[in-house]
Each structure stands twice: as C-alpha cells, then as structure tokens.
Amino acid sequence: RLKNVMNSDEVFKHDWSPLRFDFRDGIRRVKQALEHTAAQEPKVKDGGKKRGKAIVCNVKGYASGERYTSESSTTLRLGVDGSLQIVTSAVDMGQGVHTALARIASEQLGMPLERITVSNPDTEITPYERTTSGSHTTMSVGRAVERAAKDLCDTLAAAFSQMYEVDEAAVQFADGYVRANGQSMTLSELIMRLPDKLPGGGELIAHAKDPGAEWGSAVEVGVVGVEVEVDEETGRVRVLK
C-alpha cells in the first residue's frame, strides 16, 4: 500500500487538481488502530474460525465536466429553550445523514444530541441542496452545518465575553453550557439575554453555504481499515473493527 499509493500532491488526471490528501499518513493511522484492536481481542481458538484484515484507500466523486458545483446550504435555529433545529434539504433514506449532521452541530456547539433535530426537506422553506448521498451530504452539508454552528458560537461567545468581561478566545461550549474563567450559564440562559439578536425574540439564526468542489477536484478521499472473523463452518462473519 505505501509503495504504490498516490502522493499528496499527485494529480489523478492530467488536467485536474492535486489530491491534497496524505494517504501514507492515513494508512499508518489505520494500521495502528487495527493493531491496537488486535491486542485487545482474545486469541482465536481451534474451531474453524479465521481472521483477516484489510486496508482500502478511496477517491470518490471527482468533479468532471466544464461546469460542476456541489453547493450545499443550511440554516440553524437555536431556540431560547436551548434546542437546535438544523434546516436542510438533504434527505435521510436510512444512510444516517441526519445523525451525522446532528453530531457535527453537537460537537461544534457543545450541546447534547437529544437537543438537536433535523428537518425534512420542503422546497418552499428549506435551503438549496444539489443532491443527497451519504458521503457527499456528510462532507458538503456537514461543512455548511459546521460553518453555521461556528457563527452561532462566535455570536454567543462575543455576548458572553461582554457580560463577564472575559476574553472571547477563552469561552468554551460543553454539555449545553457556556463557560469561561469560572463563569458559566446554559445556552438557554444566554440566548434569552440576546433580544436584539433574536428576530421576534424567539431564536438565534445562522445561515451558511459550502461552495462544494471546484472543477477537477476530489470530493471525498479516505482510508478505511477492517478486521473480520469468519466461522468457516457456519459462514457467519463478525466485524471486529
């Protein structure tokens, strides 16, 4: 794998952009994770069970054609009750898109997943989305969600720092609280103190777009590793990692 893998600045096609992804580093990280798992697993005893490992590199969604855009948009609505609604036109068809977007927002805003909901698409009110697919939506809509959530954090951090005269850079978001230098309050408490920021006094809103891939660039790249155990007698496969 390391010998034949593409370099981070290598061009996949002569008129396209370089990958800008370090496959070698990814392979080493995945290999290390698989070795750590193997050390924790009990040894396989006699009985027709065998184990195998595999590492795969992928390049998916290379932009092509004279005009290509994968632009995604989203709106985040943070209510005075401390709940968050992600408004998107991405469709969840069982691929887990809503969960992925909620997790991205949760990590950025430091709030519990159960306080986050994701809308179903309605072309009259939900923002533009080029297409729905597992990997594209996670990457493109996910980045839009991340940017909108960061805008919310910036607004809240600025307000919190002004209230308590602390440095904005010191403000942290975790477990539904905003904290800095020994001072803290819930997201709900902070939002209720921002009437000038809330249209109609009900929620803090942020919009964001992800411009998507430029022509001739990779949309998704990555390295995946698995370890499986196969029972040769029954054909049962167990994914260990």
Side-chain angles (χ1 to χ4, degrees):
R1 290 291 191 273
L2 291 175
K3 179 180 178 181
N4 297 317
V5 73
M6 296 177 67
N7 296 317
S8 60
D9 59 348
E10 191 170 347
V11 176
F12 184 77
K13 189 172 179 288
H14 71 89
D15 57 344
W16 288 3
S17 302
L19 282 175
R20 302 188 184 93
F21 183 81
D22 191 343
F23 276 114
R24 286 181 172 80
D25 180 64
I27 291 172
R28 292 188 181 98
R29 288 172 181 266
V30 171
K31 178 176 179 290
Q32 184 178 12
L34 289 176
E35 289 174 345
H36 177 71
T37 302
Q40 294 181 335
E41 285 285 335
K43 300 297 183 182
V44 178
K45 298 180 180 179
D46 294 336
K49 292 183 179 180
K50 292 186 178 180
R51 290 182 180 175
K53 300 178 184 179
I55 296 177
V56 177
C57 302
N58 71 290
V59 178
K60 183 192 174 195
Y62 246 93
S64 61
E66 294 182 0
R67 186 72 178 171
Y68 178 93
T69 177
S70 57
E71 179 181 302
S72 297
S73 307
T74 191
T75 299
L76 301 190
R77 300 178 178 272
L78 187 58
V80 292
D81 62 351
S83 65
L84 179 75
Q85 183 187 33
I86 301 173
V87 183
T88 174
S89 292
V91 183
D92 196 323
M93 301 173 286
Q95 75 275 43
V97 163
H98 285 186
T99 300
L101 298 180
R103 288 185 65 88
I104 291 170
S106 172
E107 291 178 6
Q108 189 72 40
L109 285 160
M111 61 188 302
L113 275 173
E114 57 267 21
R115 301 294 292 156
I116 302 175
T117 59
V118 184
S119 72
N120 289 313
D122 181 337
T123 54
E124 185 176 1
I125 59 174
T126 53
Y128 174 79
E129 174 56 37
R130 178 181 180 271
T131 187
T132 292
S133 63
S135 51
H136 160 78
T137 304
T138 301
M139 183 277 298
S140 191
V141 183
R143 289 198 301 198
V145 168
E146 185 178 47
R147 291 174 182 180
K150 185 179 184 304
D151 286 345
L152 291 178
C153 287
D154 290 345
T155 299
L156 294 170
F160 189 87
S161 66
Q162 187 175 10
M163 290 175 189
Y164 291 105
E165 298 182 349
V166 297
D167 186 355
E168 281 188 43
V171 178
Q172 297 182 339
F173 298 84
D175 305 319
Y177 281 81
V178 186
R179 300 184 176 93
N181 296 356
Q183 304 290 340
S184 70
M185 65 171 60
T186 65
L187 282 170
S188 177
E189 291 170 336
L190 180 55
I191 295 166
M192 286 190 290
R193 297 178 66 174
L194 303 173
D196 60 318
K197 302 287 186 180
L198 308 180
E203 55 192 7
L204 188 62
I205 299 175
H207 308 276
K209 290 183 179 181
D210 177 73
E214 298 175 355
W215 177 77
S217 62
V219 176
E220 296 106 25
V221 294
V223 180
V224 178
V226 296
E227 181 178 8
V228 300
E229 180 182 274
V230 181
D231 189 320
E232 293 185 301
E233 295 181 1
T234 65
R236 183 174 181 268
V237 178
R238 186 164 70 103
V239 179
L240 303 176
K241 180 70 171 181

